[in-house]
Amino acid sequence: MIHLVGIKRVFQVGDEAVHALSNVNMTVDAGEYIAIMGPSGSGKSTLLNIIGLLDRPDKGVYRLEDMDTTDLTDDQQASVRRHKIGFVFQFFHLVPRLTAAENVELPLILAGVEPAERRSRVQAALSALGLSGRAKHRPDQLSGGQRQRVAIARATIMQPRVILADEPTGNLDRTSGKNVVQSLEDLNRKGMTLILVTHDPDLGSRASRKVVMMDGRISEDTGAS
Amino acid sequence: MKTEDVIQFSIRATLGYPTRTLLMILAMSIGVASVILLTALGEGARRYVTREFSSLGTNLLIVLPGRSETTGGHPPLVGGTPRDLTLEDALSLTRSSAIRRVAPITVGSAPVSWKYRDREVTILGSTSELFEIRDLSMAQGRFIPSGDPTRGAAVCVMGYRLKKELFGNQSPLGEWTRIGDRRFRVVGVLAKKGQSLGLDMGDVVVAPVASAQALFNTSTLFRILVQANSRDAIPKAKKAILGIIRERHEGEDDITVVTQDAMLSIFDRIFTALTLSVAGIAGISLAVAGILIMNVMLIAVSQRTTEIGLLKAIGAPGRQILRLFLAESAILSLIGAAFGLILAFFGTWALARAFPSFPITVPVWALGAAVGVSLLTGLVFGVLPARRAAKLDPAQALSRR
Ligand SMILES: Nc1ncnc2c1ncn2[C@@H]1O[C@H](COP(=O)(O)OP(=O)(O)O)[C@@H](O)[C@H]1O
Ligand SMILES: [Mg+2]
């Protein structure tokens, strides 16, 4: 489903070239549960951003569901993100002025879904994550774990094929972190591909496949064929 | 994304930052209100002057002693008075077939008294033709009688306000008043007509021209009012006047003939230009509002960096982000314009109450232009911030907390 071949990403910081990713090769099948681990600055987020089409590699080929993503226009990229990819971030990134329900509704609005359908889908997504009672709360009225679950509801409302979670528990205590990971694992059991970046070895060991990164390269991959 | 959702999202965004929204709306509404108010004042001034000139009567030509220095129909601003206009000059003008009526005018000031009340009043010496030429109407009695203009009768007509001051509610008809050192019998009272050319017809006495000349011991005229047969006859009448007077003044062109149309069109042009220039000056405040909108929107873009990054992550293309931010500045401009209209409405209302005789009116084009320009300002100055938002790198935006 995801094919990365010879991916390279270089950032120019002043006069210096930072090799965030150098020659990364990886294949992910549909429905996999992968934990990406590695020290800070090893290129985990950059890899996730490239998989999620938020960033483009400087070199290499990225095929998503047999489609070469290299030549996609901005509009086409956005459309792929809208329909096939769900992001979950360490800092939640909920829109502060909108309620939980409105935050979850955003992808549906961008996709031009009818208001009546939007409402029922948002309700279903919130109750699936145990947030029915929090629909009208704004993010600052929610706990960290609740916020992250709102973010998960938002990431999955379009029924994407892949969930990309970049240290989703990095800002949570153990209990709510565990809760959030369980929510993500539930989604994986229903068939969504889950790629999870984490520092926590316990969480990492729950995944069926572990990828360790080091200095922009994959140093260990338990599922490499 | 549906249009109504774009609008709703933008409105929610403006409500999310009330201080900056209020600031922008205030700036925009002041800009719009000042454009409308100043335009209304200019337009009011134009109407005022036009009304004044129109109230002189129709198809009017004014003959002034002295040759105009400038060519064209301007009244003489500088110029000698080489030869006076006389009553005979005026009467000779009736010869022309293009001329319907002639009213010689002599003006002076004298005390008018009745019983123990008296007042210093402007005395207008003329003939019965003045009544039609100036389109006057009577409140009581009749106008000064026709007859040989060179023989003045001892009768007079007074303005309604002067009548009120001297006679109160009594009828003045048939009463003898003293004007200067002569006695005149009141035969009529003019109806209320308002000002014309700065002369308040409510405060004058009209007497036969010969009597007025005798009163002021003069043989000259202040000016001659001429009514042409028709609008088309005005140029012909003007030529006839110049010809007849030249003949009488031994070949000298020593008068100026001003047509009402010429004056009207000059003043119309002057005041239209004035209105446009004050509207332009007020437009500067709209530009200031536009620059404010740009700055505030730039701040909004940097404040909402992660929000923009997030919108991109959940599938908004750059085009869509551009639309959202443009919609936001357009909505702010329109709300500002709406408040500006309300402000301008109260402003004109207050001005109209303070100066009831001044015909303050908001031209419809100014309403449309003010709203249109404010919307345009919002969009033009909103482009830069919106483009910056659209070009934002989402990966970098989302790496911040
Ligand atoms: N936008 C950027 N500009 C410059 N350097 C960057 C940028 N994004 C990432 N980097 C650098 O690339 C490297 C990998 O970063 P990242 O993928 O965020 O690592 P991780 O997520 O594993 O901590 C780091 O050295 C980081 O400083
Ligand atoms: Mg990272």
Side-chain angles (χ1 to χ4, degrees):
Chain A
M1 177 190 180
I2 291 169
H3 290 278
L4 297 167
V5 181
I7 297 292
K8 185 175 156 187
R9 183 73 173 102
V10 182
F11 291 108
Q12 204 65 39
V13 182
D15 292 340
E16 213 179 329
V18 178
H19 291 260
L21 294 176
S22 23
N23 193 28
V24 169
N25 301 292
M26 189 161 94
T27 300
V28 180
D29 293 328
E32 271 197 277
Y33 175 10
I34 302 178
I36 299 182
M37 304 191 63
S40 181
S42 56
K44 307 181 296 291
S45 296
T46 306
L47 180 61
L48 225 57
N49 287 337
I50 284 174
I51 294 174
L53 294 177
L54 280 182
D55 199 1
R56 289 180 195 244
D58 295 308
K59 216 168 167 183
V61 178
Y62 169 26
R63 298 178 67 79
L64 175 65
E65 295 196 311
D66 291 328
M67 166 184 61
D68 190 348
T69 63
T70 325
D71 298 323
L72 294 183
T73 63
D74 179 58
D75 276 17
Q76 290 167 325
Q77 275 194 335
S79 165
V80 172
R81 288 198 297 267
R82 191 154 64 235
H83 295 289
K84 298 192 172 161
I85 293 160
F87 281 100
V88 179
F89 306 96
Q90 180 179 357
F91 298 113
F92 324 129
H93 293 320
L94 300 179
V95 180
R97 61 174 183 277
L98 301 180
T99 64
E102 286 165 338
N103 267 288
V104 176
E105 194 185 8
L106 271 180
L108 298 172
I109 291 177
L110 286 175
V113 176
E114 292 299 329
E117 192 191 334
R118 281 185 337 223
R119 261 190 302 278
S120 63
R121 278 170 73 173
V122 168
Q123 233 161 33
L126 284 174
S127 70
L129 285 151
L131 291 162
S132 295
R134 299 279 179 269
K136 293 240 158 58
H137 289 55
R138 284 212 317 271
D140 56 6
Q141 298 163 318
L142 297 172
S143 73
Q146 288 169 337
R147 286 186 214 180
Q148 196 59 297
R149 277 182 289 144
V150 171
I152 292 170
R154 179 180 65 194
T156 54
I157 192 82
M158 293 293 290
Q159 303 291 333
R161 306 293 312 277
V162 194
I163 305 269
L164 304 173
D166 194 349
E167 300 188 41
T169 60
N171 244 9
L172 301 175
D173 59 69
R174 282 201 82 79
T175 327
S176 39
K178 200 154 206 156
N179 241 319
V180 161
V181 169
Q182 271 165 2
S183 302
L184 289 169
E185 288 172 352
D186 281 348
L187 292 164
N188 173 247
R189 267 193 291 281
K190 285 175 196 151
M192 282 186 202
T193 310
L194 174 61
I195 303 181
L196 177 84
V197 171
T198 181
H199 280 301
D200 186 337
D202 283 358
L203 287 182
S205 60
R206 293 168 70 111
S208 51
R209 175 176 168 192
K210 200 165 106 178
V211 174
V212 180
M213 295 200 64
M214 192 70 79
D215 289 336
R217 289 168 204 278
I218 294 177
S219 64
E220 187 192 332
D221 184 348
T222 60
S225 40
Chain B
M1 195 166 175
K2 295 176 191 301
T3 310
E4 62 261 36
D5 288 328
V6 171
I7 293 169
Q8 209 192 344
F9 185 88
S10 307
I11 289 176
R12 288 296 299 268
T14 62
L15 294 178
Y17 305 87
T19 318
R20 82 165 170 123
T21 300
L22 274 179
L23 193 72
M24 284 168 70
I25 288 176
L26 187 70
M28 194 47 95
S29 60
I30 288 172
V32 168
S34 54
V35 166
I36 293 174
L37 268 182
L38 287 176
T39 315
L41 282 175
E43 176 72 7
R46 190 182 72 81
R47 288 194 182 205
Y48 181 77
V49 170
T50 309
R51 192 181 67 187
E52 288 300 291
F53 276 88
S54 305
S55 71
L56 281 173
T58 45
N59 303 330
L60 193 71
L61 297 100
I62 301 172
V63 184
L64 306 154
R67 193 189 148 93
S68 162
E69 292 280 308
T70 50
T71 50
H74 299 269
L77 300 173
V78 235
T81 45
R83 199 185 299 255
D84 291 330
L85 280 173
T86 63
L87 185 54
E88 287 68 36
D89 286 339
L91 297 176
S92 67
L93 295 178
T94 51
R95 255 174 34 208
S96 164
S97 61
I99 291 171
R100 177 180 294 166
R101 296 191 179 93
V102 173
I105 305 256
T106 185
V107 176
S109 174
V112 176
S113 61
W114 183 69
K115 294 197 173 157
Y116 51 87
R117 299 180 205 184
D118 75 286
R119 260 199 62 190
E120 187 78 12
V121 174
T122 302
I123 313 294
L124 218 61
S126 191
T127 61
S128 60
E129 309 239 296
L130 181 71
F131 188 73
E132 279 85 18
I133 291 181
R134 290 288 303 263
D135 198 17
L136 300 172
S137 47
M138 305 303 296
Q140 271 177 287
R142 52 194 176 78
F143 201 63
I144 53 175
S146 49
D148 185 357
T150 57
R151 307 243 315 264
V155 295
C156 72
V157 168
M158 55 178 56
Y160 75 96
R161 198 177 307 119
L162 179 63
K163 177 253 155 188
K164 201 154 195 142
E165 278 180 31
L166 291 184
F167 294 92
N169 289 328
Q170 277 176 274
S171 169
L173 299 183
E175 295 289 333
W176 288 90
T177 55
R178 179 166 287 281
I179 303 178
D181 53 1
R182 286 157 186 264
R183 281 169 23 105
F184 287 79
R185 203 157 57 86
V186 180
V187 295
V189 178
L190 291 170
K192 199 165 172 169
K193 197 191 172 188
Q195 290 199 339
S196 66
L197 270 189
L199 187 61
D200 188 342
M201 292 301 280
D203 262 337
V204 294
V205 164
V206 184
V209 63
S211 313
Q213 283 184 326
L215 186 68
F216 298 122
N217 192 23
T218 176
S219 60
T220 68
L221 294 178
F222 174 59
R223 59 191 53 180
I224 305 170
L225 300 183
V226 177
Q227 187 174 37
N229 263 324
S230 65
R231 198 182 174 83
D232 296 335
I234 290 174
K236 207 177 149 207
K238 182 174 177 176
K239 247 172 100 178
I241 293 166
L242 289 170
I244 292 168
I245 302 290
R246 187 188 305 124
E247 193 181 294
R248 293 180 53 84
H249 288 193
E250 286 134 17
E252 292 276 346
D253 277 320
D254 56 2
I255 56 161
T256 302
V257 179
V258 183
T259 64
Q260 193 181 6
D261 281 4
M263 287 192 293
L264 263 177
S265 72
I266 287 168
F267 278 102
D268 205 65
R269 280 209 302 275
I270 290 173
F271 279 94
T272 303
L274 187 81
T275 304
L276 287 176
S277 51
V278 292
I281 291 166
I284 292 171
S285 60
L286 272 180
V288 171
I291 290 167
L292 190 74
I293 283 191
M294 182 167 73
N295 278 298
V296 173
M297 288 305 288
L298 282 174
I299 295 168
V301 169
S302 57
Q303 271 178 345
R304 278 152 65 187
T305 301
T306 51
E307 177 187 328
I308 296 162
L310 174 89
L311 286 174
K312 287 195 163 184
I314 61 175
R319 206 162 43 85
Q320 185 66 65
I321 308 279
L322 187 86
R323 267 220 290 171
L324 283 173
F325 275 83
L326 277 183
E328 210 173 309
S329 30
I331 284 168
L332 284 168
S333 306
L334 282 180
I335 296 174
F339 277 102
L341 289 182
I342 294 170
L343 214 64
F345 172 78
F346 281 110
T348 44
W349 178 79
L351 281 173
R353 286 206 37 150
F355 309 100
S357 69
F358 188 73
I360 186 158
T361 30
V362 180
V364 177
W365 64 261
L367 289 181
V371 174
V373 168
S374 80
L375 181 60
L376 197 73
T377 310
L379 287 177
V380 166
F381 286 95
V383 165
L384 184 73
R387 285 179 60 133
R388 185 171 290 186
K391 282 202 192 126
L392 210 93
D393 173 12
Q396 216 170 332
L398 290 166
S399 68
R400 312 196 310 190
R401 56 180 307 156

